[in-house]
């Protein structure tokens, strides 16, 4: 059974790097019919842990990842950590260290002077005497000396380090009794029966220490997969400045969750040159052995491209549902399908689509200055008035884009006009600017009566404006 976990620290939101780690862990568990667990690493930041868990669950729900079972909170497991620390003390695999901060600083200073790497010198490792008074001890693990630790990372390959180079007898419990980071991670992964740890390669240097703890407690060592970071286009670590970091920001910006997941899965993993993956396909095809060995760069254009792809693919019901989030309710709009198809032709985000929908459905409150200057001159008012009368007197059916197109053609013929003489007038009357989808589509969407009103409004505006 493959058991993976996602173990975020509670920052109050789920960032996209975290979501990618979670996605890979999720896919690997699901592919193997295993379990995907969630653990909140809140030993330091207890205050925020409930909100953080909520934020993560909200983001998971939005993108459609489900974790198995209850969430594990580290802050609720202190007694368990304590008992493991006691076990190590009892077995003489850990010990109390009474070194004061001043002593530690002094040691560090002298090591620096001698150009040595600062490290604890093991002075209490075999201490049998009377402890100094008034010092609350920390607990240190007896790390193996001059021992090679080797593990086969699922992405990086074989990693081999000498304990002398990467650790000293590191602290597993602070003087107030609280356990330290590497200790609790090792305990939790064991207690949660995690078999496969997929995490960012910024944790690579922690792994040998965690292995020391596994070994001291006789735990099975899980498989590790350290995934390269996501970099910004200039090759630096991704930061807030490079784009939204909070996953839910992407919802607010009008991205579809399947576009974001598709974007993230490809950011560091590939399957041939395939670009489009449904979640089901990802589950079938994902294998950590195909994760890139080098870091990948965040590419905002690619995300937009994927998003427009998924917007085009979505059913009408889906688009209507998604647009509700942006306060656009198309459910009772006649010709909503025409509107959706017309807008998604070019829309890159739902937010943009929602804005354009509003521009069409709501009467313009004002008219774009540049458009007015450029297109509403000379005989524009006269043409608008003629078209208004033509519409008012029109006897035929006027509902579909094609019917509007035919009517307009007929009008142009009768008045010896060309499309360029009238298209922008109609467009400005409907949306207030010189940009919109096809005028036939938007005329059909607003309908004959509303079109008449909007043309009247524009004529009024031109009258006032010309005085
Ligand atoms: N809590 C760590 C983090 O948010 C992850 C620890 C792990 O995956 O082992 O970076």
């Amino acid at each position: 059974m493959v058991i993976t976990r996602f173990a975020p620290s509670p920052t109050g939101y789920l960032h996209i790097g975290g979501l990618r780690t979670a996605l890979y862990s999720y896919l690997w568990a699901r592919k193997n019919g295993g379990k995907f667990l969630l653990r909140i690493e809140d030993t330091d930041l207890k205050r925020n842990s409930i909100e953080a868990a909520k934020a993560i669950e909200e983001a998971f729900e939005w993108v459609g990842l489900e974790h198995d079972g209850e969430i594990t909170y580290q802050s609720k497991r202190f007694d368990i950590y304590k008992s493991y620390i006691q076990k190590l003390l009892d077995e003489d695999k850990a010990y109390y260290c009474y070194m004061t901060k001043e002593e530690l600083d002094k040691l560090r200073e002298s090591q620096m002077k001698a150009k040595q790497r600062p490290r604890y010198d093991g002075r209490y490792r075999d201490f049998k005497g009377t402890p100094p008074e008034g010092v609350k001890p920390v607990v240190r693990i007896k790390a193996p000396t001059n021992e090679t630790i080797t593990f086969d990372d699922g992405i990086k390959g074989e990693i081999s380090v000498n304990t002398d180079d990467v650790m000293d007898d590191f602290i597993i419990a602070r003087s107030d009794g609280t356990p330290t980071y590497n200790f609790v991670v090792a305990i939790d992964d064991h207690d949660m029966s995690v078999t496969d740890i997929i995490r960012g390669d910024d944790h690579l240097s922690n792994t040998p220490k965690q292995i020391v703890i596994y070994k001291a407690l006789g735990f099975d060592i899980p498989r590790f997969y350290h995934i390269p970071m996501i970099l910004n286009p200039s090759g630096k670590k991704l930061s807030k400045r490079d784009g939204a970091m909070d996953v839910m920001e992407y919802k607010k910006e009008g991205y579809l969750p399947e576009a974001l997941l598709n974007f993230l899965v490809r950011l560091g993993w590939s399957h041939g040159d395939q670009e489009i993956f449904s979640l089901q396909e990802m589950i079938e095809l994902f294998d950590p052995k195909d994760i890139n060995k080098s870091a990948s760069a965040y590419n905002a254009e690619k995300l937009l491209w994927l998003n427009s792809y998924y917007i085009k693919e979505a059913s009408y019901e889906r688009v209507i549902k998604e647009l509700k989030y942006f306060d656009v309710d198309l459910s009772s709009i006649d010709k909503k399908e025409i509107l959706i198809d017309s807008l998604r032709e070019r829309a890159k985000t739902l937010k943009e689509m929602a804005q354009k929908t509003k521009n069409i459905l709501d009467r313009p409150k004002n008219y774009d200055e540049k458009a007015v200057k450029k297109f509403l001159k000379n005989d524009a008012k006269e043409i608008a008035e003629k078209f208004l009368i033509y519409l008012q007197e029109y006897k035929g059916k006027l509902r579909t884009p094609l019917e509007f197109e035919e009517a307009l053609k007929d009008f142009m013929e009768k008045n010896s006009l060309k499309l360029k003489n009238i298209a922008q007038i109609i467009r400005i009357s409907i949306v207030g600017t010189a940009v919109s989808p096809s005028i036939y589509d938007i005329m059909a969407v607003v309908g004959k009566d509303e079109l008449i009103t909007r043309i009247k409004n524009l004529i009024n505006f031109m009258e006032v404006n010309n005085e």
Side-chain angles (χ1 to χ4, degrees), residues 15-17 20 156 201-202 227-245 250 263-264 266-268 292-300:
H15 66 84
I16 56 153
R20 185 185 64 157
K156 311 257 173 204
D201 64 6
D202 50 336
I227 50 179
M229 298 279 98
I230 304 175
L231 302 178
N232 68 17
S234 47
K236 302 228 170 64
K237 205 179 156 194
L238 194 66
S239 76
K240 269 190 184 165
R241 236 175 294 153
D242 305 307
M245 288 299 279
Y250 289 85
F263 173 67
L264 288 176
R266 284 285 291 105
L267 208 54
N292 300 346
K293 291 197 185 347
S294 49
S296 20
Y298 185 94
N299 179 343

Side-chain angles (χ1 to χ4, degrees), residues 204-372:
L204 194 56
S205 59
N206 290 325
T207 307
K209 290 183 183 166
Q210 292 171 11
I211 289 176
V212 162
I213 292 160
Y214 284 114
K215 283 189 171 167
L217 286 163
F219 296 163
D220 285 341
I221 297 169
R223 283 181 290 274
F224 294 98
Y225 306 84
H226 287 94
I227 50 179
M229 298 279 98
I230 304 175
L231 302 178
N232 68 17
S234 47
K236 302 228 170 64
K237 205 179 156 194
L238 194 66
S239 76
K240 269 190 184 165
R241 236 175 294 153
D242 305 307
M245 288 299 279
D246 178 356
V247 166
M248 295 313 279
E249 277 294 314
Y250 289 85
K251 180 176 186 185
K252 290 184 198 135
E253 289 304 314
Y255 289 92
L256 282 169
E258 50 270 53
L260 186 59
L261 287 187
N262 196 147
F263 173 67
L264 288 176
V265 82
R266 284 285 291 105
L267 208 54
W269 172 84
S270 56
H271 179 75
D273 46 21
Q274 187 172 337
E275 288 291 355
I276 304 288
F277 297 89
S278 68
L279 189 57
Q280 199 46 49
E281 244 179 322
M282 290 179 205
I283 292 171
E284 275 159 32
L285 299 172
F286 182 78
D287 192 318
K289 77 173 170 32
D290 299 321
I291 292 176
N292 300 346
K293 291 197 185 347
S294 49
S296 20
Y298 185 94
N299 179 343
E301 283 301 315
K302 175 110 175 258
L303 176 58
L304 282 170
W305 177 77
L306 283 165
N307 203 44
S308 59
Y309 170 84
Y310 283 103
I311 289 176
K312 284 196 190 83
E313 288 289 297
S315 67
Y316 294 121
E317 293 71 33
R318 176 78 191 286
V319 174
I320 292 165
K321 183 177 149 253
E322 298 293 341
L323 288 178
K324 278 192 182 147
Y325 179 79
F326 297 94
D327 295 324
V328 168
D329 190 357
L330 288 183
S331 43
S332 55
I333 303 286
D334 193 30
K335 307 279 186 304
K336 48 182 166 289
E337 289 85 1
I338 295 174
L339 178 63
I340 291 171
D341 285 338
S342 198
L343 286 174
R344 68 172 151 195
E345 199 52 45
R346 257 170 276 166
K348 293 208 163 118
T349 68
L350 292 162
K351 188 177 167 183
E352 178 194 332
M353 218 172 141
Q355 189 50 52
K356 292 195 168 146
T357 306
K358 282 182 195 162
N359 290 349
I360 295 167
L361 296 184
D362 302 345
R363 282 181 195 157
K365 291 192 187 68
N366 42 48
Y367 300 100
D368 178 66
E369 238 175 81
K370 271 193 200 147
V372 168

Side-chain angles (χ1 to χ4, degrees), residues 5 7-9 39 41 181 185 189 197-199 203 210:
R5 55 38 165 204
S9 305
R39 172 171 85 229
E41 305 218 311
Y181 176 73
V185 169
D189 283 332
I197 295 178
I198 300 177
R199 62 184 171 201
H203 286 282
Q210 292 171 11

Side-chain angles (χ1 to χ4, degrees), residues 379-391:
D379 52 355
K381 185 164 159 262
E382 202 183 312
I383 295 172
E385 279 163 346
K386 277 189 187 155
F387 188 51
L388 175 67
I389 294 167
Y390 178 84
L391 282 175

